[in-house]
Amino acid sequence: DSALPKQVVVENRIYEYTKGDNDSYQKLRVYTLSDDGTYYIVSGIDTCTDTQIVIPYTYNEKPVKAIGGYAFRGCTSLSSVTIHDSVTSIGEYAFYYCYDLNYVYIGSGVEYIGYDNFNGCESLLNINVDANNNNFSSKNGALFNKDITKIYI
């Protein structure tokens, strides 16, 4: 039904919807506009049936700079995530207990990765960090600080 919204705005949050298999809409992601209005944060997900998620460079013509804490927690169908270069921060527990998550690409812009992000991701085999990232690196599928002196997972 074309009367159903593709986006609903409540205060500074945008609830994005996608059309499901039976032509009904499902909430896909929640984007929160930063306090200063210059960028977006992926702050949540309602029904996670996607197996692959790509965090976009921009949303509504503003950069997506962060993934909020707990944003994708418990998204058990998720198998891969691509985090583009515009993202600078990944909040605590963002991918907590995403059981089937097996691949994560982290772009060059990420400066902060919160506590326990990949706890419970039992299938996680490969984290790949962009070689131009100044804070993190990957080796043999594991996540390290840039100097490979501290392992995160």
Side-chain angles (χ1 to χ4, degrees):
D1 183 7
S2 61
L4 291 172
K6 290 188 179 179
Q7 292 182 346
V8 174
V9 178
V10 178
E11 294 182 8
N12 68 338
R13 290 185 179 217
I14 297 175
Y15 297 85
E16 181 183 78
Y17 289 79
T18 186
K19 206 169 222 182
D21 292 336
N22 59 358
D23 282 341
S24 64
Y25 282 89
Q26 298 175 306
K27 192 185 308 176
L28 182 60
R29 289 186 194 94
V30 180
Y31 292 89
T32 303
L33 188 61
S34 63
D35 290 339
D36 65 5
T38 61
Y39 65 92
Y40 278 100
I41 302 160
V42 178
S43 55
I45 193 161
D46 188 38
T47 306
C48 183
T49 56
D50 289 346
T51 58
Q52 299 178 354
I53 291 179
V54 176
I55 305 300
Y57 287 101
T58 61
Y59 185 76
N60 282 351
E61 299 180 6
K62 295 186 188 296
V64 175
K65 286 192 168 188
I67 299 171
Y70 297 92
F72 296 98
R73 79 175 179 278
C75 185
T76 57
S77 63
L78 187 58
S79 64
S80 75
V81 174
T82 299
I83 302 168
H84 283 298
D85 299 340
S86 65
V87 173
T88 60
S89 174
I90 304 171
E92 285 79 12
Y93 303 99
F95 299 99
Y96 190 69
Y97 281 97
C98 293
Y99 296 114
D100 289 340
L101 183 61
N102 61 50
Y103 176 79
V104 177
Y105 172 80
I106 298 173
S108 64
V110 175
E111 300 170 359
Y112 172 79
I113 297 176
Y115 179 76
D116 244 359
N117 257 297
F118 302 106
N119 187 16
C121 298
E122 297 172 1
S123 301
L124 189 55
L125 300 174
N126 192 5
I127 296 176
N128 185 14
V129 178
D130 188 285
N132 294 317
N133 187 299
N134 292 325
N135 300 288
F136 300 98
S137 61
S138 54
K139 184 175 181 180
N140 298 325
L143 177 64
F144 291 89
N145 65 347
K146 186 63 175 182
D147 300 327
I148 310 180
T149 58
K150 180 178 179 183
I151 188 167
Y152 293 96
I153 186 167

